[in-house]
Structure formats: structure tokens, C-alpha cells
Amino acid sequence: MTVNMTKGQAISLQKNDGGSLTAVRMGLGWQAAPRRGLFGSRTREVDLDASAVLFADKQPVDVVFFRHLVSDDGSVRHTGDNLVGGVGQGGDDEAILVDLARIPVHIDQIVFTVNSFTGQTFQEVQNAFCRLVDETNGQELARYTLAGGGAYTAQIMAKVHRSGPGWSMTALGTPANGRTFQDLMPAILPHL
């Protein structure tokens, strides 16, 4: 059963049977929104990028994105860059796989961001979502939908953070501006 998350909502990543999740996928999907023009509707390709910034005690220690596909310890892996999106109907255009069991103990938070590398605003994007999937069985656990567009080029989507012996996810949904995860660091820090 999927939980449709709202901004700021937190969910536990414990399994119903009391066990803990061991591997999750953070998926991102989107489509370019049609724009009305003089000769009808048309779309312009939008390159959104998913990134995962790993933190230890509020300090960034590693990042996974289209130019660094695997974390230094191998616990987080990006499946590759999608330059145009288009699945947007429930499948993932980009995905980041997280092996929760392998994350070093000093890493306490992973923040997932989305940015428009080509600089278009989210007004030019539709059907955008971020979802969390149990990689062991393919079950979608949570989905956060980017509602409406906006005159911004990035979003601090969600964070996965240690919660006692397990992990929790919080949907952040904070608009920001920037073409890369580095540009978003000042917007990420208040959420740690």
C-alpha cells in the first residue's frame, strides 16, 4: 500500500512485520508540460536531475548524482542520467538505490534533491513525482507528487534519516533555485 505524502510529512521505514527495510529506491519521474503557442501546443525537453547528498552530523560527506554515480562506500547508487524525462506515468525516469544496511554508521541523513540542469522552471514540468520503493519486493511505499509548477528550478524533495534503530523518510517539498546540488546546499541545511 502506497502512502501519498504531503509536504513535511514523515513516515517510518519499518516493515509491517516489524522488520526493517534493507534496500530502497528513490525514483523520480516527470514530463515536459505542453506550452500554448501561436500554432498550438508544443513541449520543450526538460532535463531534471536527481541527487542524494549524504550527511554526517549536518556535514555533507558524499554525494551521488549523474557525474558521481556511486557513493564512495558503495551503499548509494544512481542508475544513470535521463536528459528528457517522459515516463511520468508511474515509472522512474531516474532512480537512486540505497542499501540501508550498508550505509556507514556515521551517516545519519540522506537528502534527495531534484534540479533542472537546463534551467527551465517547474512551470514547464508536469506529472513530476518522487517515490520510495522497497527494492527487495518492488512495493511502492510512499509517493510525493510535485503539485503545480512554480518559478523555481529545483526542489529539496525528501530526506531519509536515522530514527532509533531504523530509518524514517520525511517529504520536504521545498522549492529552491539552482542547476546543481551544489547550488542547493544553502536551501538543504535548514532541513537537517
Side-chain angles (χ1 to χ4, degrees):
M1 181 175 106
T2 299
V3 174
N4 287 313
M5 298 184 71
T6 58
K7 183 176 178 175
Q9 180 181 3
I11 63 166
S12 170
L13 298 184
Q14 299 295 313
K15 288 188 170 189
N16 291 339
D17 63 7
S20 294
L21 290 174
T22 56
V24 295
R25 174 174 21 112
M26 182 65 70
L28 167 67
W30 76 94
Q31 294 175 319
R35 297 184 338 197
R36 300 200 55 73
L38 186 58
F39 302 106
S41 295
R42 62 177 193 256
T43 59
R44 187 172 130 205
E45 292 177 349
V46 177
D47 178 10
L48 295 185
D49 290 322
S51 301
V53 184
L54 289 70
F55 288 89
D57 196 28
K58 299 186 180 184
Q59 297 297 315
V61 294
D62 202 353
V63 65
V64 173
F65 71 117
F66 69 93
R67 289 191 180 141
H68 185 244
L69 295 176
V70 180
S71 63
D72 293 340
D73 60 45
S75 64
V76 181
R77 184 172 49 91
H78 195 298
T79 59
D81 196 13
N82 182 321
L83 302 177
V84 298
V87 174
Q89 298 295 326
D92 302 330
D93 292 315
E94 289 194 12
I96 297 175
L97 306 169
V98 181
D99 186 344
L100 294 169
R102 287 185 54 203
I103 293 178
V105 68
H106 70 285
I107 294 174
D108 53 11
Q109 298 183 70
I110 302 170
V111 177
F112 297 93
T113 65
V114 176
N115 55 274
S116 173
F117 187 73
T118 46
Q120 291 110 319
T121 68
F122 278 32
Q123 291 168 324
E124 298 180 59
V125 176
Q126 67 182 10
N127 299 326
F129 66 87
C130 174
R131 69 187 189 135
L132 193 69
V133 176
D134 181 342
E135 268 302 285
T136 60
N137 62 17
Q139 178 184 0
E140 184 174 285
L141 303 170
R143 177 177 287 259
Y144 179 67
T145 302
L146 284 166
Y152 48 89
T153 59
Q155 182 112 10
I156 314 304
M157 293 294 290
K159 71 177 179 177
V160 174
H161 48 98
R162 291 192 190 270
S163 179
W167 292 85
S168 290
M169 176 186 171
T170 301
L172 299 171
T174 303
N177 282 297
R179 294 183 52 219
T180 66
F181 76 89
Q182 293 100 324
D183 298 338
L184 303 179
M185 290 307 289
I188 292 172
L189 295 178
H191 297 288
L192 302 178

